[in-house]
């Protein structure tokens, strides 16, 4: 922690490398913009009794934990020339998904599956698959006018589908699947947690937020429910971290809204005895402790499988010249 001169307000330095943003993203509205989502906070404990919850006796981590993540990269921006003289922007993108199988009983981890996908994302009605050397970019036609600024978000759908594919192939009975990021349309997967390491919004009121920011390492908040179409059950955990900013080391977990409260609490307790053992350390990872060690290794492997971006850009440029 760094502090100003005597009489100045206290401030903290986020442990994350600023190149990766911040672990808690502030807004112009204050330290955290309040979310408009309806929150039901009284399911595990009455709101007046909200407090930090530590590991419960008898709860042990599962023998097998699967951690799944995906990466994406824009290889080139493109423009189409339509017969009527109009033009549409497009993105040639590469993406990959993989899963790490952590055998906690044996103390071993290995990559259990990985796949690479590519695509040309555009609203152009005339676009066709692009072949750049030995690489093919199938067309993914987006709806609407296909503004360039909105195209990167279109890559998320195929990437999520790839994550579901690789993780489903690696599952075993009684394992725990941890998805790096929100669950989105993976809520139907059994024994699955969404792991959100960057906190963009403040869902709880000031008093309940104080419980979260007051968590000791290895403790969690009570579970709460976000009453929105994309919401579900959620809770916060503080990973092992040196004393620092109020949100240092805090991650948010989520699971399917279809689960009964007893199963949600069981998963919350399970997360508390499982995730801290994967926490990274600052001297090894610029996003410590939230960027889990197996996830960091998986990201490096997946990026290496995307191929050389300069060679792909060159091949796409050559393909465009041939097309003209």
């Amino acid at each position: 922690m760094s502090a100003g001169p005597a009489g100045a307000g206290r401030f903290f330095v986020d442990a994350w490398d600023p190149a990766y943003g911040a672990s808690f993203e502030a807004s112009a509205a204050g330290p955290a913009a309040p979310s408009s989502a309806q929150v039901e906070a009284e399911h595990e404990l009455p709101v007046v009794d909200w407090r930090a919850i530590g590991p419960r006796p008898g709860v042990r981590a599962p023998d097998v934990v699967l951690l799944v993540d995906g990466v994406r990269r824009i290889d080139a921006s493109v423009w189409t020339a339509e017969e009527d003289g109009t033009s549409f922007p497009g993105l040639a993108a590469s993406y990959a998904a993989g899963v790490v199988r952590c055998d906690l009983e044996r103390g071993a981890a290995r990559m259990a599956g990985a796949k690479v996908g590519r695509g040309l994302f555009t609203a152009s009605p005339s676009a066709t698959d692009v072949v750049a050397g030995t690489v093919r970019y199938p067309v993914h036609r987006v709806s609407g006018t296909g503004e360039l600024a909105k195209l990167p978000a279109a890559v998320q759908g195929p990437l999520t589908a790839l994550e579901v594919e690789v993780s489903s192939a690696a599952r075993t009975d009684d394992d725990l699947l941890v998805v790096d990021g929100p669950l989105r349309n993976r809520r139907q997967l059994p024994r699955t947690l969404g792991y959100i390491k960057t906190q963009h919004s403040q869902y709880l009121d000031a008093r309940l937020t104080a419980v979260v920011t007051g968590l000791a390492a290895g403790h969690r908040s009570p579970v709460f429910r976000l009453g929105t179409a994309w919401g579900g059950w959620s809770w916060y955990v503080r990973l092992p971290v040196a004393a620092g900013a109020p949100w240092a080391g805090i991650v948010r977990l989520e699971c399917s809204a279809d689960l009964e409260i007893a199963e949600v609490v069981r998963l919350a307790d399970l997360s508390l005895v499982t995730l801290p053992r994967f926490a990274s350390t600052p001297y090894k990872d610029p996003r410590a402790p939230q960027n889990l060690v197996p996830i960091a290794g998986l990201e490096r492997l997946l990026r290496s499988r995307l191929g050389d971006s300069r060679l792909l850009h060159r091949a796409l440029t050559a393909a465009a010249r041939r097309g003209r």
Side-chain angles (χ1 to χ4, degrees):
M1 180 186 78
S2 301
R10 299 171 68 212
F11 72 95
F12 300 88
V13 175
D14 198 309
W16 282 24
D17 185 321
Y20 292 93
S23 57
F24 185 84
E25 297 202 352
S27 72
S35 169
S36 60
Q38 294 182 340
V39 175
E40 302 169 5
E42 70 285 352
H43 290 277
E44 182 176 7
L45 288 177
V47 170
V48 294
D49 294 331
W50 253 53
R51 54 178 170 77
I53 298 173
R56 299 186 195 273
V59 177
R60 58 182 293 272
D63 293 337
V64 175
V65 179
L66 302 174
L67 296 105
V68 62
D69 193 16
V71 299
R72 56 184 177 176
R73 185 186 67 205
I74 305 304
D75 295 333
S77 297
V78 303
W79 293 87
T80 67
E82 307 297 323
E83 290 186 358
D84 61 2
T86 60
S87 184
F88 287 87
L91 293 178
S94 296
Y95 49 94
V99 58
V100 177
R101 185 182 192 276
C102 299
D103 189 329
L104 301 186
E105 194 172 28
R106 294 173 48 239
R110 63 177 178 84
M111 188 162 71
K115 286 196 172 184
V116 175
R118 306 187 198 272
L120 174 63
F121 296 83
T122 180
S124 166
S126 68
T128 58
D129 295 358
V130 173
V131 177
T134 60
V135 175
R136 177 180 292 272
Y137 291 81
V139 171
H140 291 259
R141 215 170 308 278
V142 302
S143 58
T145 56
E147 300 98 317
L148 184 60
K150 297 181 179 180
L151 291 179
V155 185
Q156 187 59 51
L159 175 55
T160 298
L162 209 59
E163 290 177 359
V164 171
E165 184 180 347
V166 297
S167 58
S168 298
R171 301 217 68 174
T172 59
D173 293 339
D174 299 323
D175 61 10
L176 178 68
L177 177 65
V178 180
V179 174
D180 190 55
L183 285 179
R184 295 190 176 93
N185 60 347
R186 294 166 286 201
R187 297 181 184 278
Q188 77 284 1
L189 300 177
R191 305 181 307 283
T192 300
L193 301 179
Y195 177 85
I196 297 92
K197 54 180 175 277
T198 303
Q199 309 309 316
H200 297 278
S201 300
Q202 183 171 299
Y203 295 104
L204 305 173
D205 64 30
R207 194 180 71 81
L208 300 186
T209 295
V211 174
V212 175
T213 57
L215 291 173
H219 286 66
R220 68 172 178 87
S221 74
V223 301
F224 56 95
R225 189 180 178 112
L226 296 175
T228 63
W230 46 264
W233 296 105
S234 197
W235 61 94
Y236 291 97
V237 170
R238 191 187 293 273
L239 299 175
V241 66
W247 288 89
I250 288 181
V251 296
R252 184 171 66 85
L253 283 302
E254 61 181 29
C255 65
S256 172
D258 297 333
L259 298 177
E260 297 293 333
I261 182 63
E263 176 62 13
V264 175
V265 170
R266 189 187 77 82
L267 286 173
D269 288 339
L270 205 58
S271 72
L272 201 54
V273 297
T274 304
L275 296 178
R277 66 177 65 200
F278 297 127
S280 52
T281 53
Y283 73 92
K284 289 185 177 180
D285 194 306
R287 289 177 287 172
Q290 289 99 317
N291 200 38
L292 303 180
V293 172
I295 292 292
L298 178 59
E299 287 177 343
R300 288 192 295 270
L301 286 171
L302 292 177
R303 287 196 179 96
S304 70
R305 295 196 175 198
L306 294 181
D308 189 297
S309 59
R310 293 168 297 179
L311 293 178
L312 287 169
H313 191 278
R314 193 178 307 161
L316 284 163
T317 302
R321 288 175 183 155
R322 288 194 303 271
R324 289 197 297 271

